[in-house]
Amino acid sequence: MSATVLEREQESLAAQLLREYAAGSSFFFASPKRTMLARGVFATVPHEGGTDSMAGLPARVAAVLDASREAAHDIPVAVGAVPFDGRVAAQLVVPLTLQRAGPLVFDPAAPAQLPLAAKYTMRPVPEPAAYLDGVAAALKLMQEGPLRKVVLSRSLHLDTATPIDLRQLLHNLARRNPHGYTFAVDLPPGSEPGSGAGTGRRTLIGASPELLVSRSGLQVIANPLAGSAARSPDPVEDQARAARLSTSPKDLHEHAVVIDAVAEALRPFCKTLDVPRGPSLVSTQTMWHLSSRIQGELKDPSITSLTLALAMHPTPAVCGHPTELAHEAIGHIEPFQRGYYTGTVGWCDANGDGQWAVTIRCAEADEHTLRLFAGAGIVVGSTPESELAETEAKFRTMLQAMGLGAGVQP
């Protein structure tokens, strides 16, 4: 069989997996090189109570995978989502079935999908004015103490009159973000963090541009992003924005803080680690980002992709630096709990291989509601107005996938 024929078969299978995704019974994960669809639940990784549910999580995953293999289950992989912090349980399962294919490929000539919500209401939390105040408060903390960076987030609550077609939303996200990590994860029924009201079945859905870490054998790759600028529909202005980002002292500083922390987290596990001397530019349909691809070779083959992910998580790209001070500031300033937003989503197999993306450009969804998230990194030199504008640009990934990009003001 020729390579071309095999590639076409893999493309056809990837498209089929996307069509077969069903909210409530599936895990979907598409990277630039691979598409994965897992269905059903053979076993669930147990949650340990306490304030840090992630302590011992790799060991619990390994134990569940070993037990599944002993029960003659031939799919030794755990899939799912890890939250921002230990106050929320990780949602990781061993599926009943698992199918893999090559990357998703879309016909650029195919017609655009109509809006997925003809009638809707939208409520920002916090309101823009309150977010401006929060950024100002964070900048004051940096002026008065050792805090170097804090990432502050906003959410949008989108309520629709008709049910949301999550399969079509996932398709739209994958089509618009072919170089990212498109995902959909079933979440347990429960409350929106901090609300106290039951919401029934929920789905974590999104298209992240950022790889937290991947492991294949002894090879490790991390690709942190930090420092961002909104894209412009005007090609000349768009390139000007990219050029300004690549030389911006504020954004280069923000990026350096993240790269230093990621390298420091990975170094104890690696016998070699290649850290670029400076960032490169990458783009999505809505944003420019500063990017650094870090590669290493593990010292010990027993170190799993999940162990590496948790050693890095949360990076300064989603929390801040120093981590404890940034986390404390987020708790005081943000008026909601993040839940799985700015956590990590992906998979880990019994050999330790796996891939984990940072859970950004995403929403928690149920039948009639989307709770969208976006954040911005605050460092010395930030202004409240520019950080608010950055969050508005980042919301557009989900809003455009809903067909609501034009004329919508987050």
Side-chain angles (χ1 to χ4, degrees):
M1 183 181 296
S2 71
T4 301
V5 171
L6 183 59
E7 287 174 359
R8 287 176 179 169
E9 288 186 354
Q10 286 291 301
E11 290 172 5
S12 177
L13 178 56
Q16 178 182 334
L17 297 185
L18 180 56
R19 288 193 300 270
E20 291 179 356
Y21 165 75
S25 62
S26 305
F27 167 88
F28 183 89
F29 189 84
S31 73
K33 295 184 178 180
R34 177 181 306 192
T35 305
M36 173 185 292
L37 178 66
R39 285 179 275 206
V41 176
F42 179 82
T44 300
V45 176
H47 168 59
E48 287 189 357
T51 58
D52 187 3
S53 67
M54 289 183 278
L57 183 57
R60 297 200 300 275
V61 168
V64 170
L65 290 174
D66 287 344
S68 298
R69 189 159 42 190
E70 290 174 4
H73 186 59
D74 61 355
I75 303 176
V77 61
V79 303
V82 174
F84 171 63
D85 63 36
R87 290 174 291 181
V88 178
Q91 180 65 14
L92 296 171
V93 304
V94 176
L96 284 173
T97 66
L98 178 68
Q99 292 175 276
R100 303 177 196 256
L104 288 164
V105 177
F106 296 94
D107 179 3
Q113 174 66 24
L114 294 173
L116 299 185
K119 295 182 179 180
Y120 62 92
T121 60
M122 192 161 58
R123 176 172 59 91
V125 179
E127 293 286 345
Y131 185 79
L132 294 174
D133 291 342
V135 174
L139 289 169
K140 188 171 186 292
L141 288 174
M142 290 178 207
Q143 293 165 359
E144 296 175 348
L147 184 65
R148 293 177 62 194
K149 175 181 178 179
V150 61
V151 179
L152 293 182
S153 303
R154 301 171 59 205
S155 66
L156 284 180
H157 293 223
L158 188 72
D159 295 306
T160 66
T162 55
I164 300 167
D165 185 343
L166 290 183
R167 182 190 288 114
Q168 185 61 54
L169 176 57
L170 187 66
H171 179 279
N172 292 355
L173 285 165
R175 176 175 176 168
R176 297 182 64 87
N177 300 274
H179 304 299
Y181 301 83
T182 306
F183 56 87
V185 184
D186 295 333
L187 298 180
S191 301
E192 172 187 296
S195 71
T199 60
R201 188 190 74 197
R202 297 179 298 151
T203 301
L204 179 68
I205 187 168
S208 174
E210 185 170 0
L211 173 68
L212 179 63
V213 70
S214 67
R215 197 206 94 156
S216 179
L218 295 177
Q219 302 306 306
V220 175
I221 298 174
N223 193 184
L225 308 180
S228 305
R231 301 289 303 270
S232 170
D234 177 80
V236 175
E237 171 60 21
D238 192 48
Q239 289 302 311
R241 292 183 183 185
R244 286 195 295 270
L245 176 63
S246 66
T247 58
S248 162
K250 175 260 184 188
D251 290 286
L252 290 170
H253 167 65
E254 180 182 346
H255 190 80
V257 169
V258 174
I259 299 310
D260 290 347
V262 168
E264 182 180 354
L266 287 177
R267 234 174 231 115
F269 301 103
C270 295
K271 61 182 179 181
T272 63
L273 193 68
D274 180 19
V275 181
R277 298 182 65 178
S280 57
L281 281 168
V282 299
S283 64
T284 67
Q285 286 201 347
T286 60
M287 301 295 298
W288 286 103
H289 296 286
L290 295 179
S291 164
S292 289
R293 183 179 172 90
I294 299 172
Q295 300 183 76
E297 184 177 357
L298 288 176
K299 297 176 182 176
D300 184 348
S302 69
I303 301 300
T304 71
S305 63
L306 182 58
T307 299
L308 295 169
L310 292 180
M312 299 164 62
H313 173 67
T315 74
V318 297
C319 181
H321 186 76
T323 303
E324 289 188 10
L325 292 177
H327 198 286
E328 182 180 351
I330 289 168
H332 286 308
I333 296 172
E334 289 185 358
F336 56 84
Q337 291 183 25
R338 293 186 180 185
Y340 296 91
Y341 168 62
T342 60
T344 184
V345 56
W347 59 276
C348 180
D349 68 19
N351 295 322
D353 289 345
Q355 195 167 46
W356 297 91
V358 182
T359 315
I360 52 177
R361 312 297 188 274
C362 65
E364 287 189 11
D366 58 29
E367 190 175 19
H368 290 275
T369 302
L370 281 176
R371 184 167 173 255
L372 288 68
F373 302 93
I378 317 303
V379 296
V380 172
S382 297
T383 65
E385 293 77 15
S386 64
E387 304 307 326
L388 177 67
E390 182 174 321
T391 63
E392 290 174 347
K394 290 175 176 175
F395 277 130
R396 292 187 188 123
T397 296
M398 291 298 302
L399 291 173
Q400 289 177 356
M402 285 288 293
L404 306 177
V408 175
Q409 295 298 320

